[in-house]
Amino acid sequence: MKIALSLGRSPRELRFAQQLGLHYVVSALPANPKGYLELDDLRGVRERFARYGLSFDVIENLPTPHYTKAMFGLPGRDEQLDQVCTTIRNMGKAGISVLQYQWMLLGGLRTETSPVGRGGARVSRFDWEVAKRSPIAALDWRPGPGGLIHTPDRELSAEQVWDNLTYFLERLVPVAEEAGVKLAAHPDDAPIPSFMGVARILTSLEGLQRLIDTVPSPCSGLGFCQGTIASMAGVDMIDAIRHFGRQKKIFFAHFRNPRGQVPVFEEVFPDEGDSDMLAAVRAYREVGFDGVIRVDHAPAVVGDTHSERTFGYQVGYFRGLVDAVEVLDAGGVD
Amino acid sequence: MHLALTLNPFEDSDLLYAQQLGVDWIVGDVPAWDYDTLAAARNRVEKSGLVLSALDCLPTSLVADALLEQAECEEAIDRVCRVITDVGQLGIPSLGYRWPPVEADSVVETTTGRGGALSAVYRIRDKEHTSQGPAREEMWQALAHFLERVVPVAEAAGVRLAYRTDISLVSLPEERRILDSVTELDRLFQVAGSPCHGLNLDHGFVTQVLGWQTSLQTGLKVDEVIRHFGRQRRIFAVRMRNLRRTDSGAQEHFLDEDKVASLRGLQAYQETGFEGPLCPVPSPGMTDDTEWRHKGYAFGIGYLRALLQAIG
């Protein structure tokens, strides 16, 4: 299994990944004022990682400002989509094979970061009741340019949001096929059906299947965020790995294990969430998943100035599960 | 077996660190050995909601004089007996000691491991023949005398005394070195066979010294070495690390660099019913880590937790 971290480009981060034994990395690129990611930048980043023995095959995510008009169905979306096509073609030329995007018009939602985790670790939480009481506070606030859309100025129904997504896919999927790039949709986190009057559509297994079936293509599938899917009400995340994995629709995945489901969940350490992560690793093997899977966020650990303790712990845990399954299920053959 | 961390109980943030990473057993690395310090150590661990499962190792300074003659020797052993009694009174279940109580300069070189991590190479002098020189017998006699006095005290105090295998001792010249093979460790329990007497095993020592030599001499493999001592209920604690032979010695590697050996080793410990603390050793040293190696420990804890989960 191709275990990865999401990294910047500093020597410290790159050495850390190497010493953890990683060979894969995912990364965001900042929104480009031109509206698309430039070939030289993509090649440069890929080469930079390659110098440290790290293969950069997944962009996480398509910068939101590059397609906000498309998400909301606003005038100017065709120009934006043309530029996203340029991004996809440039990725193909640079040899970066997966582009993850999300379709959360209002971004991610959380209500608290509270010291209620193991040993007082600060965990990120979502509580729908709290979010309803103070909706603006639940938005994913990110300062500066490139931040997500914030307080909405209109309402959008689920069908309107689906129409916008369908328009996006119909335009991009043929280009992705031609460029050899896979488009991986990240589910809506938190997975609630609507917020502040704006529908959230990738919030159930049915929604994810509808996305796959909307423009069927080997280049249209999922960024399988385990954490988001596990926090969907009533969903068994491991069954979901099998369901989408058998269809070869998991292009990329996130390793996370929350506790609880909508309406209330919290992001605890991966060994203490509701899902059996060993069973998850076995399910990925069973369906022949061969994509990159990135270690996701977990609580902060005391004194962890560079988040290396929390990520070191998680990489160790994940690597241990993968190694154990390989050794045990292969009958001890290395 | 139970995941544990070796740490100084007087470091508040390290207690918190252990708890956050889900490690509830502590092996105490204490700065002093008077009753008040030990009591404070235990109280701090317990107040944190954790368990002080053992004290790592009696310091060389406390035990070294046990190698001397007569009065100095008896005084040193008296001091150790007092510590054992204190440890028992405080309800700390286990205590480590090493032998001989001398410092050995064992690291031949520090080289680079995966991704440029700092990896120590320990000098290993393999035995050419089974030496029975006078220096070795003197060492055994001193040890026998030491155990004759301290083991009954440990029994009375309810403390399990663990001989702490140490790769650095394999760097000592052969004529001054004991306890470096399965046969030698068997002799240790012939000398003091109390159920209160056992081993704190460095897994690297098991694979690179015990398993290595026995495989040459008797054909025993690493897991058989583990079973040999496990069946006798002699394994009180394990420090998990991955060492591998090079031309110059035994080099540190990350646990996942030999996943089969790490997993099979844990399975062997488990099969023998080992119930003591299992401590990761944070090696090789990662770049930009703290002196205590918080980053390295985090990786090791995560890795061992996963293997334990997988073997059930």
Side-chain angles (χ1 to χ4, degrees):
Chain A
M1 201 120 50
K2 298 170 179 171
I3 301 176
L5 280 176
S6 178
L7 293 179
R9 262 84 78 192
S10 73
R12 179 171 179 146
E13 288 170 274
L14 298 172
R15 261 201 312 267
F16 179 58
Q18 271 190 307
Q19 292 178 4
L20 290 174
L22 299 181
H23 302 292
Y24 296 88
V25 64
V26 308
S27 187
L29 276 87
N32 188 314
K34 292 181 182 168
Y36 60 91
L37 300 177
E38 296 183 80
L39 182 56
D40 284 350
D41 292 344
L42 294 171
R43 281 191 174 138
V45 174
R46 195 164 150 84
E47 281 160 19
R48 169 83 178 149
F49 285 129
R51 276 202 293 280
Y52 285 80
L54 297 164
S55 186
F56 171 46
D57 301 331
V58 180
I59 290 184
E60 179 182 11
N61 290 308
L62 178 63
T64 310
H66 288 195
Y67 67 112
T68 45
K69 289 174 183 166
M71 276 201 277
F72 280 86
L74 299 175
R77 69 171 163 177
D78 288 330
E79 290 74 14
Q80 273 196 333
L81 291 178
D82 284 345
Q83 284 164 331
V84 176
C85 288
T86 305
T87 295
I88 292 169
R89 290 192 191 98
N90 286 344
M91 283 179 63
K93 286 177 198 155
I96 302 169
S97 55
V98 177
L99 176 60
Q100 185 177 265
Y101 66 99
Q102 47 85 11
W103 209 255
M104 293 181 266
L105 276 60
L106 303 188
L109 306 174
R110 286 292 184 275
T111 51
E112 305 135 63
T113 302
S114 308
V116 296
R118 194 162 64 188
R122 291 189 172 270
V123 300
S124 159
R125 302 181 78 247
F126 178 79
D127 181 331
W128 203 352
E129 284 306 315
V130 174
K132 283 175 190 163
R133 282 206 299 275
S134 33
I136 300 176
L139 295 175
D140 183 7
W141 287 99
R142 289 185 204 177
L148 302 177
I149 298 286
H150 292 138
T151 316
D153 59 0
R154 68 198 69 199
E155 302 207 336
L156 280 96
S157 69
E159 284 315 308
Q160 285 174 299
V161 179
W162 273 115
D163 285 347
N164 296 344
L165 177 55
T166 304
Y167 191 88
F168 172 90
L169 289 171
E170 283 171 346
R171 176 78 184 92
L172 300 188
V173 168
V175 177
E177 286 176 349
E178 209 171 284
V181 170
K182 292 179 168 182
L183 303 176
H186 186 290
D188 289 32
D189 186 5
I192 57 171
S194 177
F195 195 63
M196 298 174 84
V198 177
R200 296 166 78 80
I201 56 175
L202 303 179
T203 53
S204 66
L205 301 189
E206 295 72 26
L208 295 174
Q209 189 64 50
R210 179 171 168 183
L211 167 113
I212 289 165
D213 297 337
T214 294
V215 180
S217 161
C219 288
S220 178
L222 304 178
F224 190 93
C225 176
Q226 280 186 195
T228 305
I229 289 166
S231 57
M232 292 175 177
V235 164
D236 180 328
M237 185 268 286
I238 290 156
D239 283 348
I241 294 174
R242 294 201 186 91
H243 177 75
F244 294 113
R246 285 202 192 106
Q247 302 175 55
K248 301 291 171 201
K249 287 301 178 188
I250 302 180
F251 294 164
F252 167 54
H254 288 170
F255 182 81
R256 178 156 63 90
N257 189 12
R259 181 189 288 154
Q261 291 187 320
V262 166
V264 182
F265 62 86
E266 51 194 22
E267 299 184 285
V268 294
F269 289 101
D271 58 289
E272 56 170 355
D274 289 338
S275 301
D276 177 349
M277 294 299 250
L278 183 67
V281 168
R282 288 204 158 107
Y284 284 118
R285 268 174 68 89
E286 187 187 309
V287 299
F289 171 65
D290 63 355
V292 172
I293 175 161
R294 171 175 75 72
V295 169
D296 210 346
H297 27 93
V301 175
V302 59
D304 199 9
T305 50
H306 291 72
S307 299
E308 290 166 335
R309 298 176 189 181
T310 185
F311 283 118
Y313 174 73
Q314 290 205 79
V315 169
Y317 180 65
F318 192 11
R319 176 71 69 198
L321 293 179
V322 170
D323 284 358
V325 167
E326 283 177 7
V327 175
L328 295 173
D329 296 4
V333 181
D334 199 355
Chain B
M1 66 196 116
H2 203 104
L3 202 50
L5 263 182
T6 308
L7 57 77
N8 177 353
F10 295 92
E11 294 289 342
D12 284 334
S13 65
D14 290 346
L15 291 169
L16 195 55
Y17 170 94
Q19 204 167 33
Q20 291 183 344
L21 293 183
V23 178
D24 55 357
W25 274 22
I26 302 303
V27 173
D29 179 9
V30 290
W33 290 81
D34 57 285
Y35 182 87
D36 288 348
T37 302
L38 297 179
R42 189 211 58 184
N43 292 342
R44 289 172 57 85
V45 171
E46 285 185 359
K47 295 284 181 201
S48 307
L50 303 166
V51 174
L52 186 57
S53 63
L55 294 173
D56 186 45
C57 194
L58 286 165
T60 302
S61 58
L62 198 70
V63 193
D65 287 356
L67 288 177
L68 301 176
E69 298 292 318
Q70 307 293 335
E72 287 98 330
C73 169
E74 300 310 322
E75 276 168 30
I77 295 177
D78 286 344
R79 283 197 298 272
V80 171
C81 289
R82 266 200 303 279
V83 169
I84 294 172
T85 305
D86 289 349
V87 168
Q89 254 178 33
L90 289 165
I92 303 167
S94 185
L95 170 67
Y97 75 96
R98 55 204 288 277
W99 199 274
V102 297
E103 299 296 340
D105 180 19
S106 59
V107 175
V108 199
E109 59 171 326
T110 302
T111 181
T112 50
R114 184 167 72 188
L118 288 181
S119 169
V121 180
Y122 296 91
R123 176 186 293 113
I124 292 193
R125 298 181 207 242
D126 282 316
K127 285 188 180 180
E128 306 271 318
H129 50 86
T130 308
S131 166
Q132 295 295 338
R136 289 171 49 82
E137 278 313 309
E138 273 173 32
M139 203 80 81
W140 267 113
Q141 277 165 22
L143 175 57
H145 177 66
F146 175 78
L147 291 172
E148 201 173 286
R149 289 204 49 207
V150 301
V151 170
V153 175
E155 281 181 334
V159 173
R160 288 159 35 117
L161 201 60
Y163 169 65
R164 193 178 185 280
T165 65
D166 190 337
I167 196 109
S168 71
L169 296 180
V170 190
S171 68
L172 294 172
E174 196 181 322
E175 62 274 12
R176 288 180 48 215
R177 186 175 101 194
I178 59 176
L179 296 166
D180 56 359
S181 69
V182 172
T183 315
E184 291 271 305
L185 290 174
D186 282 343
R187 183 173 171 185
L188 181 68
F189 298 113
Q190 284 154 17
V191 169
S194 162
C196 283
H197 191 210
L199 299 169
N200 173 338
L201 289 175
D202 168 358
H203 187 67
F205 180 86
V206 173
T207 61
Q208 302 306 308
V209 180
L210 299 183
W212 189 269
Q213 290 180 352
T214 48
S215 70
L216 295 179
Q217 289 165 11
T218 66
L220 273 188
K221 291 182 191 147
V222 168
D223 54 347
E224 291 166 332
V225 171
I226 293 169
R227 286 194 194 97
H228 175 78
F229 293 110
R231 274 197 216 104
Q232 303 171 45
R233 320 300 284 175
R234 293 295 180 197
I235 305 177
F236 290 175
V238 174
R239 285 164 285 137
M240 199 66 193
R241 67 165 157 180
N242 181 11
L243 296 179
R244 224 184 280 162
R245 288 281 179 129
T246 68
D247 290 342
S248 51
Q251 186 185 339
E252 297 174 328
H253 292 272
F254 289 98
L255 287 172
D256 63 306
E257 291 184 272
D258 199 348
K259 62 187 176 191
V260 176
S262 293
L263 189 87
R264 295 297 180 212
L266 287 190
Q267 281 181 314
Y269 289 117
Q270 189 191 45
E271 278 165 31
T272 64
F274 166 55
E275 289 173 341
L278 172 76
C279 301
V281 177
S283 62
M286 299 180 77
T287 312
D288 301 313
D289 208 349
T290 58
E291 193 184 343
W292 186 68
R293 299 190 171 178
H294 289 83
K295 250 198 302 199
Y297 269 123
F299 179 76
I301 295 164
Y303 193 75
L304 290 182
R305 165 157 297 127
L307 296 194
L308 291 178
Q309 183 181 339
I311 65 177

